[in-house]
């Protein structure tokens, strides 16, 4: 297994707005290696975006962020960086694809020149080379007639084309880590598969690390090497995609998979939603965050916060934060 | 785009027509009799009812209002705004002498308001809640709530009377323009600085600003290169409105600083019941108002790629 290129540990992120304060991320961590795709799944509001973009300083202005933990990019502590250093890292080391390309691309700026500028600043190309590179990036992202699209404004492209442009923009600086935050959620169903295929192709060709935030379990099964399941700002379960998808242990993961239509052949009996709603993250309680909704809940769940334990014998550690199921099902742990 | 353009122009022309008709009606309905005034001027106290009636008849003052308006409009379109009852000079000549003065006042004030508001708004957004932001916010509040005659008085006392840097009255050279320009620019600059600041802040929390950060831009670069272009349209529209309102400021400022402009002429016209002068000046104001707003609207349309290049179906 290659060493991680981006690694986050013990991350705690508190968000403050004039009206609310929430602990959006509560001691979570993840890591991703070159050539690897990590999927981060969880219900909306579980902290996927904040956990992934928070350490990069990419949370929207207007909310105050208090952030603790460690985050290392290529061995460097990014939380200790100066704003200027972090800016350079954001531009060159990370490439980010956002959920809604219609709002994530500046309506007043043409597509192509932005790509060219990234290529010039971060890939060290001359202006003329950068312009060519931009056109070829657009072509590579599956945009037909890229010379024409180069001079287009976002409103002149369809949602699917815009997301391709967004991908091209993220790649222009030749990043080492590509972060895609629900890259298909805002798109038509027909386009979603194409965008995922594009991300997979890029990953294969460039061997970069990919962090895919999604709640599309189908996408996880196709793209991901590893999966981290996030619940209420904590990692409930993580491991290889095969382990987590075919042998989930945490009741939340099991519920999440059971709620996916036709994911497993034996779920033909119909899908079931996990009953209840995620906890109010403004109120922190001891114990398991999932306790209110868990069908396996035991009295001790409300007092002791479960920690991640390694289960199984796989090369990729499979870790689960639920002592109750581990004990009840006689699952061997080793750590 | 072209059709929208033509519609705006058509609308502007209609607006000018309606506004001049309204002022014509108001001015003629105002108490006071043009014929009596002219007779008085010609014959002094010797003017009698017969003479007044004859003058009124000659001038067509007894014709129905629409006809009189049509006649006035026909003349105005050829550049003939009548002869000032106060000065006895053709209005075209009065304008020729005074418009450059007012234009210099408005242009200088406009440029100053533009520069000040952008500088203050951007500096505030860059400081983002810091000390500079709060100081600038306070300054803008004061600037937007201080009447211009008071501003003028303060400036004159400090810079002319105490320091003796600039003349108190009239214009001679560039420095003498400074106080009038500052006075007339203060209010619009303050309002526009808030527009810049508030819109920038709003824009900085939009998803594309986050993309700007993700591209590796520093906050300053995101502010100037990603956010600023996005506030161009609201800024231009507000600027147009504020710039046209400056003509009202000009009336006060020209009086206070003794500038022989159109605004000062307008006040005199009212004092002397110079109906011809009033109507001509108001027409000038209307044309200024409507055409500046039209130009700004069209520029704003051109600045917006979504309007400039609508998506092909
Ligand atoms: N801009 C924000 N202002 C206030 N709270 C926020 C903001 N963004 C996220 N949060 C809170 O942080 C938590 C995690 O959000 P997020 O990371 O966006 O979830 P996900 O990406 O998994 O849908 C949620 O409880 C949400 O309410
Ligand atoms: S620790 Fe208890 S409440 Fe939490 S998931 Fe396991 S069984 Fe459910
Ligand atoms: Mg999210």
């Amino acid at each position: 297994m290659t060493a991680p290129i981006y690694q986050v540990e013990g991350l705690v992120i508190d968000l403050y707005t004039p009206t609310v304060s929430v602990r959006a991320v509560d001691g979570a961590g993840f890591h991703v290696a070159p050539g690897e795709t990590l999927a981060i799944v969880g219900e909306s509001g579980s902290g996927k975006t904040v956990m992934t973009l928070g350490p990069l300083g990419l949370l929207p202005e207007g909310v105050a962020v208090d952030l603790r933990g460690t985050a290392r990019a290529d061995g460097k502590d990014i939380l200790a960086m100066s704003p200027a250093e972090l800016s350079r890292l954001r531009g060159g080391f990370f490439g980010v694809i956002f959920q809604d390309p219609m709002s994530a691309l500046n309506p007043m700026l043409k597509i192509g020149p932005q790509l060219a500028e990234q290529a010039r600043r971060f890939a060290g190309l001359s202006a003329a080379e950068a312009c060519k590179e931009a056109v070829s990036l657009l072509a590579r992202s599956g945009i037909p007639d890229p010379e024409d699209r180069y001079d287009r404004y976002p409103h002149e492209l369809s949602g699917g084309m815009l997301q391709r442009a967004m991908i091209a923009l993220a790649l222009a600086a030749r990043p080492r880590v590509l972060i895609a935050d629900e890259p298909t959620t805002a798109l038509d169903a027909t386009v979603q598969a194409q965008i995922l295929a594009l991300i997979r192709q890029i990953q294969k060709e460039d061997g970069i690390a990919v962090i895919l935030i999604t709640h599309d379990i189908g996408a996880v099964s196709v793209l991901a090497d590893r999966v981290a399941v996030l619940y209420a700002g904590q990692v409930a379960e993580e491991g290889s995609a095969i382990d987590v998808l075919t042998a989930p242990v945490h009741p939340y993961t099991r519920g999440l998979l059971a709620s996916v239509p036709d994911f497993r052949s034996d779920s033909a009996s119909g899908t079931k939603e996990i009953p209840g709603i995620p906890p109010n993250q403004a109120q922190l309680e001891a114990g398991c965050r999932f306790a209110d909704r868990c069908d396996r809940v035991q009295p001790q769940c409300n007092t002791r916060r479960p920690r991640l334990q390694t289960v199984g014998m796989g090369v990729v550690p499979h870790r689960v934060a639920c002592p109750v199921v581990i004990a009840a099902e006689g699952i061997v742990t080793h750590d | 785009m072209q059709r929208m353009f033509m519609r705006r122009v058509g609308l502007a022309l209609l607006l000018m027509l309606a506004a001049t008709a309204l002022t014509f009606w108001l001015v003629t309905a105002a108490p006071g009799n043009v014929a009596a005034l002219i007779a008085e001027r010609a014959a002094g106290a010797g003017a009698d009812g017969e003479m007044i009636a004859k003058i009124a008849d000659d001038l067509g003052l007894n014709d129905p209002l629409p006809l009189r308006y049509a006649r006035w409009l026909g003349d105005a379109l050829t550049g003939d705004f009548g002869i000032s009852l106060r000065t006895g000079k053709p209005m075209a000549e009065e304008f020729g002498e005074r418009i450059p003065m007012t234009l210099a006042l408005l242009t200088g004030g406009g440029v100053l308001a533009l520069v000040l508001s952008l500088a203050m708004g951007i500096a505030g957004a860059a400081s983002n809640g810091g000390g500079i932001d709060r100081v600038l916010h306070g300054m803008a509040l004061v600037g937007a709530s201080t009447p211009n005659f008071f501003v003028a008085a303060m400036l004159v006392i400090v810079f002319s009377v105490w320091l003796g840097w600039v003349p108190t009255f009239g214009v001679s050279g560039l420095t003498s323009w400074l106080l009038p320009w500052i006075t007339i620019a203060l209010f619009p600059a303050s309002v526009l600085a808030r527009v810049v600041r508030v819109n920038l802040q709003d824009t900085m929390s939009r998803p594309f600003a986050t993309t700007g950060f993700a591209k590796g831009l520093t906050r300053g670069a995101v502010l100037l290169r990603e956010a600023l272009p996005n506030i161009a349209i609201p800024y231009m529209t507000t600027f147009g409105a504020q710039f046209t309102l400056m003509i009202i400021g000009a009336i006060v400022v020209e009086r206070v600083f003794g500038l022989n402009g159109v605004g000062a002429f307008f006040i005199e016209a009212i004092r002397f019941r110079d109906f011809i002068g009033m109507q001509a000046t108001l027409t000038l104001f209307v044309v200024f108002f409507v055409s500046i707003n039209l130009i700004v609207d069209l520029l704003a349309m051109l600045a917006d790629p979504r309007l400039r290049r609508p998506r092909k179906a």
Side-chain angles (χ1 to χ4, degrees), chain B residues 205-223:
Chain B
S205 54
R206 302 265 296 276
F208 63 74
T210 307
T211 304
F213 284 104
K215 287 197 294 188
L217 299 177
T218 59
R219 187 168 187 279
V222 175
L223 206 58

Side-chain angles (χ1 to χ4, degrees), chain B residues 100-167:
Chain B
M101 183 69 84
T102 302
L103 219 50
L105 177 64
L106 295 184
T107 312
V111 170
L112 195 60
L114 182 91
V115 171
L116 272 181
S117 63
L118 285 175
M120 287 171 68
I122 293 170
S127 149
N128 195 23
I132 294 174
D133 195 14
R134 270 173 286 165
V135 168
L136 288 172
H137 189 181
M139 279 169 62
L141 277 182
V142 172
S145 50
T146 316
N148 48 17
F149 60 85
F150 185 76
V151 175
M154 291 298 116
L155 288 174
V156 167
I157 288 173
V158 174
F159 291 99
S160 303
V161 180
W162 288 0
L163 300 170
W165 288 354
V166 286

Side-chain angles (χ1 to χ4, degrees), chain A residues 58 61 87 90-91 98 103-109 114 117-118 121-122 151-153 155-156 158 166, chain B residues 128 204-205 207-208 210-211 213-219 225-226 229-230 303 305-306 308-309 311-312:
Chain A
L58 284 181
E61 280 199 5
S87 281
R90 277 196 298 250
F98 295 95
S103 57
L105 284 164
N106 195 326
M108 302 293 280
L109 301 181
Q114 294 188 70
E117 188 190 334
Q118 292 304 92
R121 280 182 62 206
F122 293 100
D151 274 319
R152 297 279 165 190
Y153 288 96
H155 74 274
E156 298 178 281
S158 69
M166 185 84 231
Chain B
N128 195 23
M204 286 300 279
S205 54
F208 63 74
T210 307
T211 304
F213 284 104
K215 287 197 294 188
L217 299 177
T218 59
R219 187 168 187 279
R225 298 178 47 193
E226 306 269 336
N230 276 277
R306 284 153 295 193
R308 188 170 71 237
R309 292 182 11 185
R311 192 172 167 191
K312 290 178 220 91

Side-chain angles (χ1 to χ4, degrees), chain A residues 14-48:
Chain A
D14 292 324
L15 302 179
Y16 304 94
T17 69
T19 49
V20 286
S21 61
V22 288
R23 175 152 296 182
V25 179
D26 190 7
F30 60 90
H31 56 88
V32 64
E36 182 183 61
T37 298
L38 167 73
I40 298 176
V41 299
E43 284 164 294
S44 123
S46 57
K48 304 183 295 292

Side-chain angles (χ1 to χ4, degrees), chain A residues 101-168:
Chain A
M102 314 261 189
S103 57
L105 284 164
N106 195 326
M108 302 293 280
L109 301 181
K110 288 180 179 176
I111 307 276
Q114 294 188 70
L115 270 70
E117 188 190 334
Q118 292 304 92
R120 201 174 48 73
R121 280 182 62 206
F122 293 100
L125 303 184
S126 72
E129 289 167 343
C131 186
K132 265 198 212 134
E133 169 84 355
V135 172
S136 79
L137 277 165
L138 290 172
R140 187 181 170 203
S141 302
I143 293 178
D145 200 359
E147 282 92 357
D148 173 73
R149 298 303 194 277
Y150 184 94
D151 274 319
R152 297 279 165 190
Y153 288 96
H155 74 274
E156 298 178 281
L157 269 62
S158 69
M161 282 303 142
L162 274 186
Q163 195 60 303
R164 290 177 188 276
M166 185 84 231
I167 291 171

Side-chain angles (χ1 to χ4, degrees), chain B residues 10 18 22 32 39 41 43 58 64-65 101 121 192 202 207 215 221 228-229 231-232 254 299:
Chain B
L22 182 70
R41 193 126 333 140
D58 284 351
L65 199 62
M101 183 69 84
L192 287 164
D202 178 57
K215 287 197 294 188
L228 201 57
I231 73 159
E254 286 179 7
L299 285 179

